[in-house]
Short mmCIF file of all heavy atoms in Angstrom, two decimals:
data_model
loop_
_atom_site.label_atom_id
_atom_site.label_comp_id
_atom_site.label_asym_id
_atom_site.label_seq_id
_atom_site.Cartn_x
_atom_site.Cartn_y
_atom_site.Cartn_z
N MET B 17 -2.33 -35.67 73.49
CA MET B 17 -1.04 -36.36 73.47
C MET B 17 -0.66 -36.79 72.05
O MET B 17 0.51 -36.78 71.68
CB MET B 17 -1.08 -37.59 74.39
CG MET B 17 -1.27 -37.27 75.84
SD MET B 17 0.20 -36.52 76.52
CE MET B 17 -0.30 -36.25 78.20
N GLU B 54 6.24 -49.23 82.11
CA GLU B 54 4.80 -48.98 82.33
C GLU B 54 4.09 -50.29 82.64
O GLU B 54 3.24 -50.35 83.53
CB GLU B 54 4.18 -48.33 81.08
CG GLU B 54 4.65 -46.93 80.79
CD GLU B 54 3.89 -45.86 81.58
OE1 GLU B 54 2.95 -46.20 82.31
OE2 GLU B 54 4.29 -44.68 81.48
N CYS B 57 5.04 -51.38 86.16
CA CYS B 57 4.43 -50.53 87.20
C CYS B 57 2.91 -50.70 87.26
O CYS B 57 2.32 -50.68 88.33
CB CYS B 57 4.77 -49.07 86.97
SG CYS B 57 6.51 -48.70 87.18
N GLU B 64 -0.08 -45.78 75.86
CA GLU B 64 -0.40 -44.39 76.19
C GLU B 64 0.56 -43.49 75.44
O GLU B 64 1.77 -43.73 75.44
CB GLU B 64 -0.24 -44.15 77.70
CG GLU B 64 -1.46 -44.54 78.50
CD GLU B 64 -1.26 -44.21 79.98
OE1 GLU B 64 -0.15 -43.84 80.38
OE2 GLU B 64 -2.22 -44.34 80.71
N VAL B 118 18.36 -35.26 84.35
CA VAL B 118 19.21 -34.69 85.40
C VAL B 118 19.82 -35.80 86.26
O VAL B 118 21.01 -35.74 86.61
CB VAL B 118 18.39 -33.69 86.26
CG1 VAL B 118 19.14 -33.31 87.53
CG2 VAL B 118 18.09 -32.43 85.45
N PRO B 125 28.18 -38.94 84.72
CA PRO B 125 28.66 -37.67 84.14
C PRO B 125 29.56 -37.86 82.93
O PRO B 125 29.56 -37.04 82.03
CB PRO B 125 29.40 -37.01 85.31
CG PRO B 125 29.63 -38.08 86.31
CD PRO B 125 28.56 -39.09 86.12
N GLY B 140 28.21 -30.81 79.44
CA GLY B 140 27.56 -31.44 78.31
C GLY B 140 28.02 -30.75 77.07
O GLY B 140 28.54 -29.64 77.11
N THR B 142 27.42 -28.69 74.30
CA THR B 142 26.57 -27.77 73.56
C THR B 142 27.38 -26.54 73.20
O THR B 142 28.49 -26.34 73.70
CB THR B 142 25.32 -27.32 74.36
OG1 THR B 142 25.65 -26.18 75.12
CG2 THR B 142 24.79 -28.41 75.25
N PRO B 164 26.62 -29.05 68.21
CA PRO B 164 26.96 -30.05 69.22
C PRO B 164 25.98 -29.99 70.38
O PRO B 164 25.52 -28.93 70.76
CB PRO B 164 28.37 -29.66 69.66
CG PRO B 164 28.56 -28.27 69.20
CD PRO B 164 27.68 -28.07 68.03
N GLY B 165 25.67 -31.13 70.94
CA GLY B 165 24.74 -31.15 72.07
C GLY B 165 23.80 -32.32 71.99
O GLY B 165 24.13 -33.38 71.46
N TYR B 185 -2.69 -25.44 67.57
CA TYR B 185 -3.78 -26.28 68.11
C TYR B 185 -4.16 -25.88 69.54
O TYR B 185 -4.99 -26.52 70.15
CB TYR B 185 -3.36 -27.75 68.07
CG TYR B 185 -3.56 -28.38 66.71
CD1 TYR B 185 -2.50 -28.43 65.81
CD2 TYR B 185 -4.79 -28.91 66.33
CE1 TYR B 185 -2.66 -28.99 64.56
CE2 TYR B 185 -4.96 -29.47 65.08
CZ TYR B 185 -3.89 -29.51 64.20
OH TYR B 185 -4.07 -30.07 62.95
N GLY B 209 28.78 -11.19 82.97
CA GLY B 209 29.31 -12.55 82.88
C GLY B 209 30.32 -12.87 83.96
O GLY B 209 30.93 -11.96 84.53
N ILE B 228 18.82 -18.55 73.00
CA ILE B 228 17.50 -19.11 72.67
C ILE B 228 17.65 -20.35 71.80
O ILE B 228 17.00 -21.37 72.03
CB ILE B 228 16.63 -18.04 71.96
CG1 ILE B 228 16.18 -16.99 72.98
CG2 ILE B 228 15.42 -18.67 71.29
CD1 ILE B 228 15.45 -15.83 72.37
N LEU B 234 14.78 -23.94 73.36
CA LEU B 234 13.59 -24.10 72.53
C LEU B 234 12.78 -25.34 72.94
O LEU B 234 11.56 -25.28 73.10
CB LEU B 234 13.97 -24.20 71.05
CG LEU B 234 14.36 -22.89 70.37
CD1 LEU B 234 14.80 -23.15 68.93
CD2 LEU B 234 13.20 -21.90 70.38
N VAL B 256 4.68 -16.55 85.94
CA VAL B 256 5.67 -16.58 87.02
C VAL B 256 6.55 -17.82 86.88
O VAL B 256 7.78 -17.78 87.01
CB VAL B 256 4.97 -16.57 88.41
CG1 VAL B 256 5.96 -16.72 89.54
CG2 VAL B 256 4.16 -15.30 88.57
#
Side-chain angles (χ1 to χ4, degrees):
Chain B
M17 296 289 180
E54 292 276 357
C57 293
E64 276 182 351
V118 168
T142 88
Y185 279 94
I228 287 174
L234 284 177
V256 175

